[in-house]
Amino acid sequence: MERWKIERMNPQKISLSNHSADGYVIPVGSVHLVFVKTEIGMIGCGAFDVAALERFLVPAAKMKPRTGPSITTIEELLSAQVKEVNAPAIDRGIRVGMSGKEALEHL
């Protein structure tokens, strides 16, 4: 059985209008966990469970790629479309259909 290889996380700074965020791409086996977090909440690829984050009152949105089968880079996540959003994120103004970058501006 092949073990999953988790490489070192190197954050990428994302500049937003009034704050910044940290983006991460974590290769796990043949997939990538891609997410961007602010001090308040986060957006992430399809592997994220926004309902679980809601239980901890973390505003979160799950993104869907605009092209291709999955999100593999920070740039793809920022241009992706909000597919699912939890209640704390709705309270901050995030809506289904927004881009990742738009959603982050609310966090």
Side-chain angles (χ1 to χ4, degrees):
M1 172 169 46
E2 181 179 330
R3 290 182 173 209
W4 287 355
K5 180 181 176 186
I6 299 180
E7 298 178 14
R8 184 178 166 181
M9 296 186 333
N10 292 316
Q12 178 180 335
K13 275 289 183 205
I14 311 298
S15 294
L16 302 166
S17 295
N18 296 314
H19 60 291
S20 65
D22 294 313
Y24 298 89
V25 177
I26 305 170
V28 181
S30 63
V31 299
H32 293 86
L33 299 177
V34 183
F35 65 97
V36 175
K37 68 171 249 6
T38 69
E39 291 184 16
I40 297 169
M42 65 181 297
I43 65 170
C45 66
F48 281 83
D49 185 347
V50 297
L53 292 166
E54 181 174 350
R55 289 192 287 274
F56 297 99
L57 303 177
V58 175
K62 181 186 295 190
M63 309 304 292
K64 70 177 179 179
R66 296 219 184 249
T67 61
S70 64
I71 295 169
T72 60
T73 67
I74 298 298
E75 292 75 24
E76 289 174 352
L77 187 70
L78 294 176
S79 67
Q81 187 175 35
V82 173
K83 175 182 179 179
E84 186 180 338
V85 59
N86 65 18
I90 290 169
D91 291 346
R92 297 200 60 84
I94 299 174
R95 302 288 180 257
V96 170
M98 284 182 162
S99 73
K101 180 101 178 197
E102 290 173 310
L104 285 171
E105 293 290 352
H106 293 271
L107 297 174

